[in-house]
Amino acid sequence: MKVKKLEIDKLITERLILMPYTKDLCINILNGDYRDLEVLNLKKGKSWPDADVLDTLPRIINNLNKVEHPTGYESWMIIKKETLEIIGDLGFKGFNNKEKNIDLGYGIIKEERVMQKKQ
């Protein structure tokens, strides 16, 4: 089944912006080149990219190599809307055809995680 090209460049919620990774962006981040982020008017979060992101980027590149263009089923950057800082990423880990649902994985840098108090 051929998946069509993603027709949007970002998703915007009340507090977050989600933007799909591109292969060039991933390669440049792995090489310590963040000029693409400047062009997109984005900033690195306090500890972004962390070791988990750097470990995941080659897999994201591999997934993007399997498609002609981003489809939306690859990985996305999580951006804090008020500061335009990248604070994490999310991606599709699989599709359950029988139950018609997907499995998502995500990671948020430690400085942006909110701990809830036990009551």
Side-chain angles (χ1 to χ4, degrees):
M1 171 175 90
K2 187 171 180 169
V3 179
K4 66 183 202 172
K5 182 178 180 179
L6 182 64
E7 296 179 10
I8 59 169
D9 61 348
K10 62 185 146 209
L11 295 171
I12 301 173
T13 72
E14 183 180 322
R15 295 179 294 168
L16 299 173
I17 300 170
L18 304 177
M19 292 180 72
Y21 278 105
T22 64
K23 188 167 99 173
D24 288 341
L25 181 62
C26 292
I27 291 168
N28 290 340
I29 292 168
L30 277 174
N31 291 319
D33 180 353
Y34 301 102
R35 288 178 287 182
D36 294 339
L37 300 181
E38 293 171 14
V39 170
L40 294 169
N41 200 30
L42 300 176
K43 302 171 193 155
K44 293 177 8 173
K46 293 165 188 67
S47 63
W48 188 94
D50 60 14
D52 288 339
V53 170
L54 295 173
D55 187 49
T56 302
L57 286 173
R59 288 192 295 268
I60 294 171
I61 293 167
N62 186 49
N63 288 337
L64 287 167
N65 280 332
K66 295 176 184 176
V67 295
E68 295 175 26
H69 40 71
T71 64
Y73 290 101
E74 295 80 36
S75 295
W76 297 65
M77 294 179 287
I78 301 172
I79 302 154
K80 191 174 181 178
K81 190 175 177 182
E82 78 180 44
T83 63
L84 297 178
E85 291 176 284
I86 302 169
I87 61 169
D89 59 71
L90 67 90
F92 294 86
K93 296 177 81 176
F95 177 72
N96 183 321
N97 203 18
K98 182 179 177 184
E99 295 183 23
K100 304 290 186 211
N101 61 29
I102 58 171
D103 185 18
L104 289 175
Y106 69 93
I108 302 290
I109 59 174
K110 65 182 176 185
E111 294 87 353
E112 296 296 332
R113 297 180 199 149
V114 178
M115 300 297 290
Q116 293 184 2
K117 294 180 181 180
K118 293 184 180 181
Q119 297 194 19

